[in-house]
Amino acid sequence: MKSVKAFAPATVANVSCGFDILGFAIEGMGDWVRLEEKDSPGLEVVSITGDEGKLPKEVEKNTCSVAIQAMLDHLNVEIGMAIHLEKGLPLGSGMGSSAASAAAALVAANEFLGNPFEKKELLPFAIAAEKAACGAGHADNVAPSLMGGFVLIRDYHPLDVIKLHVPKGLYCTLLHPHFELKTADSRSVLRDSIPLKHSTIQSGNVAGLVAGLYEEDFDLISRSLRDVIAEPYRSILIPGFNEVREAVKAKGALGMGISGSGPTLFCLSKGEEKAQAIADAAEEVYQSIGLGVDVFFSAINTRGGYIIE
Amino acid sequence: MKSVKAFAPATVANVSCGFDILGFAIEGMGDWVRLEEKDSPGLEVVSITGDEGKLPKEVEKNTCSVAIQAMLDHLNVEIGMAIHLEKGLPLGSGMGSSAASAAAALVAANEFLGNPFEKKELLPFAIAAEKAACGAGHADNVAPSLMGGFVLIRDYHPLDVIKLHVPKGLYCTLLHPHFELKTADSRSVLRDSIPLKHSTIQSGNVAGLVAGLYEEDFDLISRSLRDVIAEPYRSILIPGFNEVREAVKAKGALGMGISGSGPTLFCLSKGEEKAQAIADAAEEVYQSIGLGVDVFFSAINTRGGYIIE
């Protein structure tokens, strides 16, 4: 029986100054999707593990089946596939959980069908799945989860996605505190209009961040990792935000920001040793304020989702 | 008698999506400043040509003397210098006329004093001169005029100026229509606050432009050369804006935008041949609407201001 298994990584969207336009992928954390040939045509979500029973198995609601169905519709193909999803990522954490499921499903299905698509061409199907899962068809998680690296979503109409250069030695530490922050709440605190001055500051920083990535200038990356648009409002919703930032900065973090819409925080750093020290320091702060936390660090994933079986 | 002469180039500030944070320098158009030793201490603006008598010679008002005085104050040096300014740039055109004068004056004075400063270190003195000349201490003209190339002003507090990579073969065509547009008028049409959505679009484009410069991806540069913040309001003040844009796009312009606060328009293109064709096509449009225009094209100046004698 034909069977394919793929992995797709966790991702950090927004990246401080890159609000709604930047995302990057992490090594070693993510979701797995296994597809099996099925006798009768149509998709079926057979098993989901690691979600505490929270994710829907209905084909028209599950992010994996929605993504694959969008691909099959595009190809005008009818085929039978049984879908097995293993969640490695916590739900609603701001680590691109639904995006990783969709990306893994699409990488697996593409292989299953003999790779009719380049990875970048899978993006519209993943965006359709994000729309089903989150209500909005954002690409800043699915694009890096599929393609890897640091990804810029320059535009949606038409979709224009650019994979940026990633300097060697760039590490990320993820801090996932044990409390729930609803994306809707995190979104609702944002203002619909902002001072022109803030827009100029944000533009300067995102331009500096992109230049810093290409120049491999870690100081410039650090100076540019500021967000004057979302963070001032969202950080208030995240316990310990300022204390954690102070602690990780003292350990050499280039910057710290909110991953996606939170509550997970991300830190960038130069080298694995600092990434570890940052994780330790942050854990201590969370302990002192009585909040459980999962910490994780890794290099930037530059290959995106991939086949493992 | 000791004498030094320097040239500093015209510049394009804003660069569409780079509103208030980007600028670049042009080859072959600019201002010249000659400094001569003077027996008595103090600065004196002895001659100005090419300004139709419009520029002030008072030491505390002239952009050259203000810039040099700021440098001398910083060094705590008293010295006698006679200043001769040759304007190659029209005033109030949006080509960084006052910035080129200040930059040429500073490059000359630095040489005169045995080069105590790196070029980048001259920037604060040039900004002081811009403040005297324009009322606002912007750096997006003086920085490229001094340093050359494409320059990002990431921040002013503290000043953070980054010279970006410039792809080979990038040309600029300047179109200077014969009518006056006051900077104050051009500034007054801007909104103090803007939709968050527009800020995100602008950020995506400036990130795309910077990536395009580093990747030497002319298509990406072209897709990114859009301004949703200033151009929609300012273009209304510029006769023929849409007609010229249509004509230059048809000749292969990567993009067209307002140089600084106008009325000069800039076009970027790949290669000299297209830059020439764009100039010709634009000239024809201006002729058809009965407006005089000076056209000019050149490669990007990557060295900034320099000593010529």
Side-chain angles (χ1 to χ4, degrees):
Chain A
M1 193 182 56
K2 193 170 174 180
S3 165
V4 169
K5 189 172 179 179
F7 169 82
T11 45
V12 170
N14 290 342
V15 200
S16 295
C17 53
F19 176 72
D20 267 3
I21 61 167
L22 282 182
F24 65 83
I26 300 298
E27 278 285 342
M29 264 191 111
D31 288 355
W32 294 262
V33 169
R34 188 159 57 83
L35 300 179
E36 277 171 4
E37 207 169 355
K38 198 162 66 81
D39 288 340
S40 55
L43 303 179
E44 188 187 344
V45 181
V46 176
S47 73
I48 306 179
T49 60
D51 70 329
E52 297 170 358
K54 288 180 184 166
L55 289 177
K57 283 192 182 171
E58 293 95 319
V59 169
E60 65 282 0
K61 287 187 188 170
N62 183 282
T63 189
C64 298
S65 43
V66 170
I68 297 174
Q69 191 60 56
M71 179 203 262
L72 296 176
D73 289 348
H74 182 90
L75 290 170
N76 204 14
V77 160
E78 262 193 68
I79 196 166
M81 284 188 207
I83 301 170
H84 301 267
L85 168 61
E86 294 171 45
K87 292 295 299 177
L89 298 179
L91 310 184
S93 57
M95 291 191 254
S97 179
S98 63
S101 298
L106 288 168
V107 170
N110 195 37
E111 173 79 11
F112 197 96
L113 297 169
N115 291 303
F117 297 103
E118 299 282 323
K119 261 192 192 169
K120 207 173 178 172
E121 295 170 334
L122 298 173
L123 257 177
F125 314 135
I127 291 173
E130 282 288 77
K131 203 164 183 177
C134 317
H138 285 293
D140 45 358
N141 287 114
V142 282
S145 190
L146 271 173
M147 297 159 61
F150 248 88
V151 177
L152 164 67
I153 324 293
R154 196 197 60 80
D155 201 358
Y156 282 88
H157 309 289
L159 191 62
D160 190 5
V161 169
I162 298 119
K163 202 168 164 178
L164 306 174
H165 178 77
V166 179
K168 265 189 196 145
L170 189 63
Y171 271 72
C172 174
T173 307
L174 285 179
L175 314 168
H176 174 226
H178 295 167
F179 84 100
E180 200 182 355
L181 175 58
K182 291 218 168 80
T183 301
D185 291 341
S186 194
R187 197 90 205 169
S188 73
V189 296
L190 299 182
R191 308 309 197 237
D192 283 338
S193 78
I194 62 166
L196 173 56
K197 207 186 137 130
H198 287 182
S199 171
T200 305
I201 293 171
Q202 195 89 345
S203 280
N205 284 323
V206 79
L209 176 56
V210 174
L213 291 171
Y214 279 94
E215 297 276 357
E216 308 209 341
D217 180 339
F218 289 91
D219 274 346
L220 175 55
I221 291 170
S222 180
R223 298 197 300 277
S224 305
L225 281 171
R226 284 162 213 279
D227 172 15
V228 297
I229 286 180
E231 190 180 286
Y233 304 109
R234 287 182 167 171
S235 62
I236 298 165
L237 306 174
I238 298 175
F241 185 88
N242 292 324
E243 295 82 351
V244 174
R245 169 131 77 185
E246 210 171 299
V248 300
K249 281 282 203 171
K251 293 294 177 185
L254 300 170
M256 184 195 90
I258 302 165
S259 179
S261 53
T264 295
L265 304 179
F266 77 94
C267 310
L268 289 175
S269 58
K270 186 180 178 181
E272 190 169 4
E273 210 171 297
K274 277 191 181 143
Q276 164 86 68
I278 287 163
D280 293 347
E283 209 164 12
E284 231 170 78
V285 174
Y286 281 110
Q287 224 161 34
S288 76
I289 61 173
L291 190 60
V293 67
D294 300 315
V295 300
F296 179 81
F297 63 90
S298 84
I300 305 300
N301 164 319
T302 54
R303 58 180 171 167
Y306 52 91
I307 298 296
I308 52 175
E309 273 175 33
Chain B
M1 192 181 56
K2 196 169 174 181
S3 166
V4 170
K5 189 172 180 179
F7 169 82
T11 46
V12 170
N14 291 342
V15 199
S16 295
C17 53
F19 177 71
D20 267 3
I21 61 166
L22 282 182
F24 66 81
I26 300 298
E27 279 283 345
M29 262 191 113
D31 288 355
W32 293 263
V33 169
R34 187 159 57 82
L35 300 179
E36 278 170 5
E37 210 170 354
K38 197 162 68 81
D39 289 339
S40 54
L43 303 178
E44 189 188 341
V45 182
V46 177
S47 72
I48 306 179
T49 60
D51 70 329
E52 298 171 359
K54 287 181 185 165
L55 289 177
K57 283 191 181 172
E58 293 96 319
V59 170
E60 65 280 3
K61 287 186 187 168
N62 183 281
T63 189
C64 298
S65 43
V66 170
I68 297 175
Q69 191 60 57
M71 179 203 260
L72 297 176
D73 289 348
H74 182 90
L75 289 170
N76 204 15
V77 160
E78 262 194 68
I79 197 166
M81 284 187 206
I83 301 169
H84 301 266
L85 169 60
E86 294 171 46
K87 293 294 300 176
L89 299 178
L91 310 183
S93 58
M95 291 190 253
S97 178
S98 62
S101 298
L106 288 167
V107 169
N110 195 36
E111 174 80 10
F112 196 95
L113 296 169
N115 290 304
F117 298 103
E118 299 280 322
K119 261 192 192 169
K120 207 173 178 172
E121 295 170 334
L122 297 172
L123 256 178
F125 315 134
I127 292 174
E130 283 286 79
K131 204 164 183 177
C134 319
H138 284 295
D140 46 359
N141 287 114
V142 282
S145 190
L146 271 172
M147 297 158 61
F150 247 89
V151 177
L152 164 66
I153 323 292
R154 194 197 60 82
D155 200 359
Y156 281 88
H157 309 289
L159 191 62
D160 191 5
V161 169
I162 297 117
K163 202 168 164 177
L164 307 173
H165 178 77
V166 179
K168 266 191 195 140
L170 188 62
Y171 271 72
C172 174
T173 306
L174 285 179
L175 315 168
H176 174 227
H178 295 169
F179 84 100
E180 199 182 358
L181 176 58
K182 292 219 167 76
T183 302
D185 291 341
S186 194
R187 198 86 206 173
S188 73
V189 296
L190 299 181
R191 308 308 198 235
D192 284 336
S193 78
I194 62 166
L196 173 57
K197 208 186 137 135
H198 286 182
S199 171
T200 305
I201 293 171
Q202 195 88 344
S203 280
N205 283 323
V206 79
L209 176 56
V210 174
L213 291 171
Y214 279 94
E215 297 276 358
E216 308 207 342
D217 180 339
F218 289 92
D219 274 346
L220 175 54
I221 292 171
S222 180
R223 298 198 299 278
S224 304
L225 281 171
R226 284 163 213 278
D227 172 16
V228 296
I229 287 180
E231 190 180 287
Y233 304 109
R234 288 183 166 170
S235 61
I236 298 165
L237 306 175
I238 298 175
F241 185 90
N242 292 325
E243 294 81 352
V244 174
R245 170 132 75 188
E246 210 172 298
V248 300
K249 282 280 206 175
K251 294 295 177 183
L254 299 169
M256 185 196 89
I258 301 166
S259 179
S261 53
T264 295
L265 304 178
F266 77 93
C267 311
L268 288 175
S269 59
K270 187 179 179 182
E272 191 169 2
E273 208 171 301
K274 275 190 183 145
Q276 163 86 69
I278 288 163
D280 294 345
E283 210 164 10
E284 229 170 82
V285 175
Y286 281 110
Q287 222 160 37
S288 77
I289 61 173
L291 191 59
V293 67
D294 299 315
V295 303
F296 178 84
F297 64 90
S298 83
I300 305 300
N301 163 319
T302 54
R303 58 180 170 164
Y306 53 89
I307 298 295
I308 50 173
E309 274 174 34

